[in-house]
């Protein structure tokens, strides 16, 4: 077989499915293909489509097909499938469960296929992407009204210098808001890291939400690193990073984050205020039965208080997520203020529920009744567990039924 024709045929066929080949090897009766896709909510559905294409185009003596799945520029899992067994299951001669029993799920995050592959598609860096869409800013549960909000026109831009190194910025232009009646000045006795929300909303109607450099890496197997520098959120900017240890065959993961930050000006442009601090947490993530995920983090918060946050969420078969959280720090009830401790809930609805075509993405909504300075967490973008937490062997096995869809 002409390898060049094979690679280009696979590349073209996968692109028709909105699956993008990142690298490929055809060698010794084995085919390795690295893929990325934003079309499919489930990793296994994309892997099944890719395997079907590779099986149809590969030589007759091919025995094994390895699908290396990537999220962003990081390789997160390898699905090793026997070609004949896959073809039988795909032809209704076998079943998904029989195929799973004869397949292997592994990880080699520190040695991604694109670093050693025979075929790598041409990618021209820097790579620029942008998007525009309406968004909402809101304040919920205040004495002036249960809901105060603003309609914002947001513009997001990403400049990728090379794999795993990007510059991201997001800015918003105010279209309409109901913040005129918002009158809730802060009388906090601890650093006002969140309770000055009124001034941020009043003076930052047209604002820079984020502007930051991000770097990702996997220096060792199942260990992931993220470094960031810039304007992290509406109220803080600085520098820092995060480490995540996600054993592929375990239901437990461990994270460590640390950032040195300074408070941004109320207009949310490039000015900073005097307050600065170091914040960071040690986190434990645990998959529990019935689709429940527990996340416990211990550390130092933005106002300098120290304590623990517990987050419990349940993921349903549809991808719908419902979660609750609570935090308790070393602040007294008087220092914290009304409510005594931080708590709230959130929901995440996958957009695929509203479309007949496959799609990714989700709509999120949360209720955080009290904007207090205690237990305030830095709102970072692309937290490692949000990218990698649903890519261990247990998650792939959970969604295995989608492989032949």
């Amino acid at each position: 077989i002409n390898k060049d024709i094979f690679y280009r045929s696979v590349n073209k066929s996968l692109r028709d499915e909105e699956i993008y080949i990142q690298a490929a090897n055809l060698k010794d009766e084995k085919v390795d293909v690295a893929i990325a896709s934003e079309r499919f909510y489930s990793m296994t559905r994309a892997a099944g489509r890719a395997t079907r294409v590779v099986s149809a185009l590969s030589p007759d003596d091919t025995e094994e097909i390895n699908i290396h799945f990537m999220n962003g520029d990081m390789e997160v899992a390898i699905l090793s499938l026997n070609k004949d067994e896959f073809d039988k299951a795909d032809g209704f001669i076998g079943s998904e469960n029989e195929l799973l029993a004869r397949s292997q799920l592994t990880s080699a995050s520190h040695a991604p296929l694109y670093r050693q592959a025979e075929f790598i598609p041409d990618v021209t860096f820097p790579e620029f992407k942008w998007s525009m869409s309406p968004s909402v800013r809101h304040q919920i549960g205040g004495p002036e009204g249960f809901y105060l909000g603003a309609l914002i026109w947001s513009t997001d831009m990403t400049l990728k210098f090379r794999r795993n190194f990007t510059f991201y910025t997001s800015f918003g232009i105010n279209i309409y808001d109901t913040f005129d009646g918002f009158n809730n000045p802060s009388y906090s006795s601890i650093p006002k890291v969140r309770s000055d929300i009124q001034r941020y909303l009043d003076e930052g109607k047209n604002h820079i939400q984020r502007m930051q450099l991000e770097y990702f890496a996997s220096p060792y197997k199942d260990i992931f690193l993220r470094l960031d520098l810039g304007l992290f959120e509406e109220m803080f900017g600085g520098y820092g990073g995060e480490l995540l240890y996600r054993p592929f065959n375990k239901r437990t993961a461990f994270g460590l984050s640390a950032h040195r930050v300074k408070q941004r000006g109320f207009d949310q442009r490039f000015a900073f205020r005097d307050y600065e601090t170091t914040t960071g947490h040690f986190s434990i993530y645990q998959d529990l039965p019935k689709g429940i995920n527990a996340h416990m983090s211990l550390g130092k918060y933005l106002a300098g208080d120290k304590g623990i946050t517990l987050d419990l969420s349940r993921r349903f078969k549809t991808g719908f997520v419902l979660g609750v959280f609570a935090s308790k720090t070393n602040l007294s009830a008087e220092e914290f203020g009304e409510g005594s401790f931080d708590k709230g809930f959130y929901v995440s609805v996958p957009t695929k529920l509203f479309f007949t075509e496959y799609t990714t993405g989700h709509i999120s909504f949360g209720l955080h009744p009290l904007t207090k300075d205690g237990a305030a967490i830095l709102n970072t973008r692309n937290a490692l567990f949000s990218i990698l937490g649903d890519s261990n062997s247990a998650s792939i096995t959970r969604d295995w039924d989608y492989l032949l869809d």
Side-chain angles (χ1 to χ4, degrees):
I1 187 172
N2 185 306
K3 287 188 177 182
D4 185 61
I5 294 176
F6 170 74
Y7 292 139
R8 294 184 184 280
S9 298
V10 171
N11 190 23
K12 170 65 168 59
S13 298
L14 289 179
R15 194 165 59 244
D16 291 343
E17 291 274 3
E18 296 181 49
I19 300 172
Y20 300 99
I21 189 170
Q22 306 297 302
N25 266 343
L26 171 59
K27 185 179 180 182
D28 299 332
E29 302 174 343
K30 181 174 68 173
V31 180
D32 287 83
V33 178
I35 62 168
S37 177
E38 296 182 357
R39 178 187 176 192
F40 301 101
Y41 192 79
S42 167
M43 183 192 309
T44 52
R45 182 173 278 125
R49 299 288 179 97
T51 305
R52 190 175 292 120
V53 167
V54 173
S55 179
L57 295 173
S58 61
D60 293 337
D61 61 352
T62 299
E63 296 181 0
E64 183 178 300
I65 298 173
N66 300 315
I67 302 298
H68 302 242
F69 199 88
M70 299 184 66
N71 192 347
D73 289 324
M74 290 189 289
E75 186 175 298
V76 296
I78 304 172
L79 283 67
S80 298
L81 306 165
N82 180 276
K83 179 179 180 293
D84 290 339
E85 294 294 338
F86 177 85
D87 291 341
K88 288 178 182 178
D90 199 37
F92 305 104
I93 299 175
S95 68
E96 292 98 336
N97 290 335
E98 290 173 322
L99 179 60
L100 176 59
R102 293 172 172 83
S103 302
Q104 286 188 324
L105 308 178
T106 57
S107 170
S109 61
H110 61 303
L113 183 65
Y114 68 80
R115 290 184 184 170
Q116 50 194 314
E118 189 173 60
F119 173 77
I120 301 175
D122 292 333
V123 180
T124 303
F125 292 111
E127 182 181 84
F128 179 72
K129 294 182 180 179
W130 69 282
S131 64
M132 301 176 70
S133 64
S135 63
V136 174
R137 300 173 84 188
H138 53 236
Q139 175 71 11
I140 299 175
E144 300 81 10
F146 177 75
Y147 183 90
L148 299 175
L151 179 63
I152 305 293
W153 189 258
S154 296
T155 301
D156 296 348
M157 294 180 289
T158 302
L159 182 64
K160 182 185 290 188
F161 300 105
R162 63 180 183 85
R163 285 190 181 274
N164 290 313
F165 184 41
T166 61
F167 174 73
Y168 171 80
T169 183
S170 176
F171 60 89
I173 298 175
N174 187 76
I175 299 174
Y176 175 77
D177 69 79
T178 59
F179 293 135
D180 290 342
F182 191 21
N183 184 24
N184 190 19
S186 172
Y187 299 103
S188 177
S189 61
I190 62 174
K192 299 176 183 179
V193 296
R194 294 296 186 215
S195 58
D196 272 333
I197 180 66
Q198 179 177 335
R199 296 197 62 179
Y200 281 96
L201 294 174
D202 284 343
E203 300 179 33
K205 293 183 183 294
N206 301 321
H207 62 284
I208 301 172
Q209 183 177 10
R210 301 180 191 272
M211 182 176 287
Q212 63 187 86
L213 286 166
E214 291 181 302
Y215 173 74
F216 298 88
S218 178
Y220 303 100
K221 184 179 184 298
D222 293 338
I223 294 178
F224 301 89
L225 167 72
R226 175 177 63 88
L227 300 175
D228 46 11
L229 166 71
L231 308 177
F232 298 140
E233 49 150 277
E234 295 174 345
M235 297 186 185
F236 283 90
Y239 59 90
E242 178 186 9
L243 274 172
L244 178 72
Y245 174 48
R246 182 224 57 178
F248 182 73
N249 291 314
K250 304 291 184 181
R251 292 179 175 268
T252 306
F254 304 92
L256 182 66
S257 66
H259 287 84
R260 183 66 182 176
V261 295
K262 193 168 185 178
Q263 195 165 29
R264 295 179 61 188
F266 296 126
D267 62 357
Q268 295 158 71
R269 304 291 174 85
F270 295 103
F272 285 89
R273 307 185 69 221
D274 292 334
Y275 180 74
E276 58 183 303
T277 188
T278 299
T279 180
H281 289 81
F282 171 73
S283 296
I284 302 173
Y285 307 88
Q286 180 67 50
D287 290 339
L288 301 173
K290 306 293 185 180
I292 296 174
N293 181 268
H295 171 203
M296 182 178 67
S297 60
L298 304 91
K300 181 182 174 185
Y301 299 84
L302 286 171
D305 49 330
K306 299 174 183 178
I308 183 171
T309 296
L310 179 62
D311 184 309
L312 291 173
S313 62
R314 183 178 182 187
R315 182 189 188 277
F316 295 86
K317 185 69 174 178
T318 59
F320 178 86
V321 175
L322 174 64
V324 295
F325 63 90
S327 301
K328 182 64 178 176
T329 74
N330 58 349
L331 294 175
S332 67
E334 291 75 19
E335 288 175 311
F336 186 88
E338 181 185 356
S340 300
F341 66 96
D342 191 54
K343 62 253 184 202
F345 75 88
Y346 57 91
V347 295
S348 177
V349 183
T351 54
K352 67 174 184 175
L353 298 180
F354 306 102
F355 297 93
T356 56
E357 296 288 332
Y358 293 116
T359 182
T360 57
H362 58 271
I363 301 169
S364 298
F365 173 80
L367 180 60
H368 200 177
L370 300 169
T371 304
K372 296 294 182 179
D373 298 313
I377 298 175
L378 184 68
N379 295 323
T380 56
R381 176 178 181 265
N382 286 334
L384 287 176
F385 192 79
S386 69
I387 299 173
L388 303 161
D390 209 33
S391 62
N392 59 6
S393 60
S395 299
I396 297 172
T397 303
R398 178 198 65 205
D399 294 339
W400 192 257
D401 289 349
Y402 298 136
L403 187 78
L404 302 178
D405 189 1

